[in-house]
Amino acid sequence: MKRFFLFSIFVLFTVRGFAISDISLFHNAKPYMTIESNKMYDTKGDETFLINEGKLFSAKDHAFVGTIKETTTLIMIDLYYDEKTVGQHSEYNKSNGYLLTMSIYNDNQEIKLDFDYDTGLIQKQTNVEDKKIVKYSLFQYNGSVLEKVTEYNSKNELITYLTCFYDKKTKNILEKHIYDSDDNLLSIAKFNPSIDKLVEEQIYNKDGSLKSKTTFDKDEKPVEKFVYRLSSKKPVKYTFIKFNDEGYYNLNDETYLSINFCDYSMLSKYALDSKIAPIDWNDKYSANVKKCDFNDSIDCYNQITKLQKEHFLSVVPFSISTKKSMTTYCFNITADNEIDIFSCYEITLTEKPKNYPAMNKSGKGSGPFGFDIGMTYDQVKAACGGREPEHIADDRYYVKPKKTHPVFENYIVWISDSVGLYYVKAISGEIKTSEYGTEIKSRFDSVLKPLEAKYGGFYIENRVKQDFYFKDEKNWMYSIVQGARSYSASWFVNTDNYQNYDGLFGIIMGISAQYSSSGYIWIEYEFLNYDDAKKSHDDAL
C-alpha cells in the first residue's frame, strides 16, 4: 500500500457492525482455519483474512477476496476470482466446524467435494463439465483411515483405483498405489510417515517397468526427476526450477523467469487479436502477441537452451523477461515437464498514455468536496467558486470549495503541473470534548457513517503504545495528546475495484489533539496519480 496505509498492515483492527462466531474449521477432519474476533488464522497462527460486514479481505494487503455468511447450522465461505465471479464455495457444519461440501469453479468446469456430516471425511469427488458429470470418485474408509478410492466415468465404468498402505505402529500413510481397470500398476506415491508428506512418486510403463521417479521437498514441491530409458543403464537426472513464493526465479541480476506473467492457454487468441490491434494487457500496458521462432538471434536464447541442456523442468508454463526490456517470451511445458522451445510466444508491452481526468466517470465535481483527479489550477479555482487557491509551498494550496462539510473548516489540495490535482486534505475546527473523548468520537462517527455508505467498510485503528502507562478510557484524550494512541479509519481500493471510484486510491480519517479538553478531526484523500506527481519532482533533480 502507499504512504498513509503502510501502518495498517501491522496493526489490529476492530470491525464495525458485523460478527461471525468464533469457530475452528476443518478440511477432511484436519485443522484448516480458525475464526476469532472476526479474523481468520491458519494452522500456524498467522492472520490470513479480515472479516468486515460479511466480506473477506486479505490480511496482507486488505484486497477483497470473498464473502462469509453464518446461519443457525452453517458457515458459508465464497472465495472470488474477481469482484463478481465466485471461484470456490464452501459450507461448514457449525456444530463441529467440519467441511460439508466444497465446489471449485473454473469457466465451464466444476469440482465438487462432499464430506461426511459426523466424521468430516471426504466421501465423493465429482468432476463436472458443461453441467454434465465427466467422472467421479468414491472414498472408502476403515474407521477414519482411508483404504481405497475408486474412479468411474460418466457411464459408471471403472477407470482407476487407489489403495493405501500404512505404518502398522503409527498408522501414518506410507504409500499410495494407483492401478488401471485391468489391475496394471500406474504409479506409487511414497510418504514420510513422521510428517505425512509426499517424498517420492514413481510412474510405471504399461509393461510394469519403471518410467520415472520424482523426489519432493518438505513442502511437497518437486525437486528432482529421474527418467529411465531402455537405451541407457543409468537414469537421466532432471531438476525442477525452484520458483519462489511470488512465482519468480532469478537467472541473474537482470533476467528472471515468472509463472505469473500470463495465462499461456490464452496466448493463441491474443496472437490472433494482435493482428488487428494491440490487446489491452492490463491497466498500464497494451501488448502485441505473436508466435515466435525462438532462435539464437534472441538475447535470452542461450539462457533457455542452457536450462534445457542442464535438464531443468517446470511444473507449469513460464516466461522469461529482462528488467530493461519490454519484450517477454512465454513457453509451455511438455507432458514430462520439459521446456517446449517450439511453443514460444513473444509479448511486447507498450505503456498506455495516462488520462487521469478520464478516470472520473461519475462526472465533473463528483470527487471529495468537488475536487476530481487531475484537475488543473484553473479547474480547482472554478470548484472554489472563482476564489483563487492560496499557495502554501510546493504543490500545496489553501482552498475554500463550494462543496463543504459542516465538520471541516480548512481545506488543502495538492496540484502538480504535470498530472494536476492528486491529494486533498480537510481539517475540522476545535471540537470540545471530555477526557474520555466522547464528543469528538461521536463527531468522528457522524462523518464516517456517510463515508461507509458511499465507499464501503472502513478499518478502524484504536491502538495504544504498549509502554504507555495511562491506557484507561479516562485518559483517552491524554493518550491522543501524547501521541501514544492512534485513532483512525482507513479505506482503499484494490486491483479488482479501483476503476469504480473515479481515480481515488484511498481515504484516511483521524483524530489529533494538543489538549485533553479539545481536539480536531482530519481527513485525507489520495488519488491514483500520486506516484506520478512525486516522480515528476524526482525527475527535476
Side-chain angles (χ1 to χ4, degrees):
M1 293 296 96
K2 302 181 184 178
R3 281 110 352 240
F4 56 61
F5 297 117
L6 284 174
F7 70 87
S8 62
I9 296 175
F10 306 102
V11 301
L12 297 179
F13 297 101
T14 61
V15 182
R16 303 166 64 86
F18 189 91
I20 292 290
S21 299
D22 291 352
I23 189 174
S24 294
L25 304 179
F26 298 83
H27 278 196
N28 207 30
K30 293 183 179 180
Y32 169 65
M33 199 83 70
T34 299
I35 300 176
E36 185 176 333
S37 300
N38 273 0
K39 298 180 179 68
M40 297 182 70
Y41 302 87
D42 61 20
T43 54
K44 297 179 181 178
D46 294 330
E47 190 176 303
T48 56
F49 299 125
L50 305 173
I51 303 171
N52 192 354
E53 299 294 339
K55 294 183 178 180
L56 292 176
F57 298 87
S58 167
K60 182 178 181 181
D61 59 10
H62 294 174
F64 171 78
V65 294
T67 61
I68 183 168
K69 298 177 182 179
E70 180 177 359
T71 70
T72 55
T73 58
L74 298 173
I75 299 288
M76 295 177 287
I77 296 176
D78 286 335
L79 299 180
Y80 283 62
Y81 285 128
D82 52 48
E83 259 195 335
K84 298 180 180 179
T85 309
V86 175
Q88 179 178 302
H89 173 78
S90 304
E91 296 182 6
Y92 297 85
N93 182 349
K94 191 175 172 182
S95 64
N96 55 24
Y98 286 155
L99 180 63
L100 295 177
T101 182
M102 175 187 287
S103 292
I104 302 169
Y105 306 98
N106 185 12
D107 294 329
N108 63 335
Q109 299 177 335
E110 176 189 356
I111 298 175
K112 184 178 180 183
L113 308 175
D114 295 304
F115 299 80
D116 185 83
Y117 183 89
D118 295 315
T119 66
L121 297 172
I122 186 170
Q123 302 295 308
K124 185 177 182 179
Q125 174 178 319
T126 306
N127 291 63
V128 179
E129 190 169 328
D130 293 325
K131 298 183 179 180
K132 295 180 180 178
I133 294 176
V134 177
K135 61 182 179 179
Y136 63 93
S137 301
L138 301 178
F139 295 75
Q140 302 174 32
Y141 296 87
N142 180 3
S144 62
V145 177
L146 180 65
E147 282 193 333
K148 189 175 184 179
V149 182
T150 48
E151 182 183 47
Y152 300 89
N153 61 23
S154 59
K155 298 180 180 180
N156 299 319
E157 298 169 336
L158 180 65
I159 304 174
T160 62
Y161 64 92
L162 175 149
T163 57
C164 300
F165 300 88
Y166 296 86
D167 184 276
K168 291 182 179 180
K169 292 183 178 180
T170 64
K171 304 299 182 182
N172 291 331
I173 186 73
L174 289 175
E175 294 184 357
K176 293 180 180 179
H177 295 197
I178 298 179
Y179 300 84
D180 64 17
S181 57
D182 295 322
D183 297 327
N184 295 313
L185 179 63
L186 300 179
S187 68
I188 296 176
K190 296 186 176 184
F191 295 80
N192 181 337
S194 63
I195 57 174
D196 195 26
K197 296 285 187 179
L198 177 66
V199 294
E200 183 178 295
E201 183 180 49
Q202 299 174 358
I203 305 298
Y204 290 84
N205 295 306
K206 288 185 177 181
D207 62 4
S209 60
L210 184 61
K211 180 180 180 180
S212 67
K213 181 175 67 176
T214 303
T215 60
F216 297 81
D217 64 16
K218 62 180 181 178
D219 297 318
E220 296 188 317
K221 293 180 179 179
V223 178
E224 294 178 334
K225 183 175 183 178
F226 299 86
V227 177
Y228 297 82
R229 297 188 175 97
L230 295 176
S231 58
S232 176
K233 292 183 179 180
K234 292 184 178 181
V236 179
K237 177 183 174 182
Y238 292 82
T239 303
F240 283 86
I241 299 171
K242 194 171 184 179
F243 293 97
N244 63 22
D245 292 339
E246 285 73 42
Y248 294 100
Y249 177 83
N250 292 322
L251 295 175
N252 52 51
D253 291 340
E254 294 297 324
T255 309
Y256 60 92
L257 310 180
S258 171
I259 60 175
N260 298 323
F261 183 78
C262 65
D263 179 355
Y264 184 87
S265 65
M266 296 296 296
L267 293 183
S268 60
K269 178 182 183 303
Y270 292 160
L272 289 173
D273 293 343
S274 291
K275 291 180 179 180
I276 301 172
I279 66 169
D280 187 11
W281 188 255
N282 56 32
D283 300 311
K284 190 174 182 180
Y285 297 101
S286 57
N288 280 295
V289 181
K290 64 180 182 180
K291 198 74 169 65
C292 176
D293 176 19
F294 195 72
N295 55 54
D296 57 9
S297 67
I298 297 172
D299 290 341
C300 55
Y301 175 81
N302 290 335
Q303 291 164 314
I304 292 295
T305 54
K306 182 180 179 183
L307 289 173
Q308 286 183 310
K309 291 176 182 177
E310 294 179 353
H311 294 155
F312 275 93
L313 304 178
S314 178
V315 178
V316 293
F318 66 90
S319 63
I320 184 169
S321 304
T322 303
K323 292 179 180 178
K324 295 181 180 180
S325 174
M326 298 294 281
T327 299
T328 295
Y329 300 91
C330 298
F331 300 89
N332 201 359
I333 56 171
T334 68
D336 294 321
N337 301 113
E338 296 178 348
I339 303 168
D340 183 1
I341 200 169
F342 300 105
S343 68
C344 182
Y345 280 89
E346 179 184 284
I347 303 172
T348 302
L349 301 179
T350 303
E351 189 169 3
K352 297 176 182 177
K354 294 175 182 175
N355 184 357
Y356 289 118
M359 294 181 181
N360 179 26
K361 298 177 182 178
S362 298
K364 183 179 178 181
S366 60
F369 313 114
F371 297 122
D372 301 323
I373 184 173
M375 272 186 165
T376 63
Y377 177 93
D378 288 338
Q379 289 170 330
V380 170
K381 178 180 175 181
C384 296
R387 290 182 289 270
E388 291 279 354
E390 181 183 343
H391 187 244
I392 304 171
D394 303 321
D395 290 342
R396 290 172 291 163
Y397 295 83
Y398 281 123
V399 291
K400 185 66 174 178
K402 291 187 292 183
K403 292 174 64 175
T404 60
H405 188 279
V407 167
F408 299 105
E409 294 184 1
N410 300 294
Y411 300 84
I412 304 170
V413 297
W414 280 248
I415 308 171
S416 163
D417 291 338
S418 59
V419 300
L421 183 141
Y422 62 90
Y423 208 85
V424 175
K425 183 172 185 176
I427 307 169
S428 74
E430 184 182 40
I431 300 172
K432 296 292 184 180
T433 188
S434 69
E435 56 194 354
Y436 293 90
T438 304
E439 292 80 6
I440 196 169
K441 285 189 284 186
S442 177
R443 191 72 61 86
F444 183 95
D445 288 342
S446 72
V447 178
L448 182 59
K449 187 174 181 180
L451 286 171
E452 289 188 316
K454 184 175 182 178
Y455 297 105
F458 276 60
Y459 287 101
I460 309 302
E461 180 195 13
N462 185 10
R463 178 169 57 99
V464 186
K465 292 180 179 178
Q466 290 184 351
D467 58 355
F468 188 68
Y469 182 75
F470 301 100
K471 296 180 180 179
D472 57 289
E473 288 298 306
K474 185 177 180 180
N475 287 287
W476 198 91
M477 281 299 295
Y478 181 67
S479 63
I480 291 284
V481 172
Q482 294 299 313
R485 181 184 296 273
S486 297
Y487 190 81
S488 64
S490 59
W491 169 93
F492 46 88
V493 299
N494 57 54
T495 55
D496 294 325
N497 71 7
Y498 76 97
Q499 293 178 323
N500 302 331
Y501 298 101
D502 300 325
L504 188 64
F505 171 75
I507 305 168
I508 186 169
M509 183 170 64
I511 292 176
S512 298
Q514 291 181 312
Y515 308 101
S516 295
S517 58
S518 65
Y520 58 91
I521 299 170
W522 51 266
I523 188 168
E524 298 179 4
Y525 298 82
E526 180 183 327
F527 291 92
L528 291 170
N529 55 347
Y530 181 100
D531 282 339
D532 284 340
K534 294 305 179 184
K535 184 176 183 298
S536 67
H537 295 163
D538 296 338
D539 290 343
L541 297 175

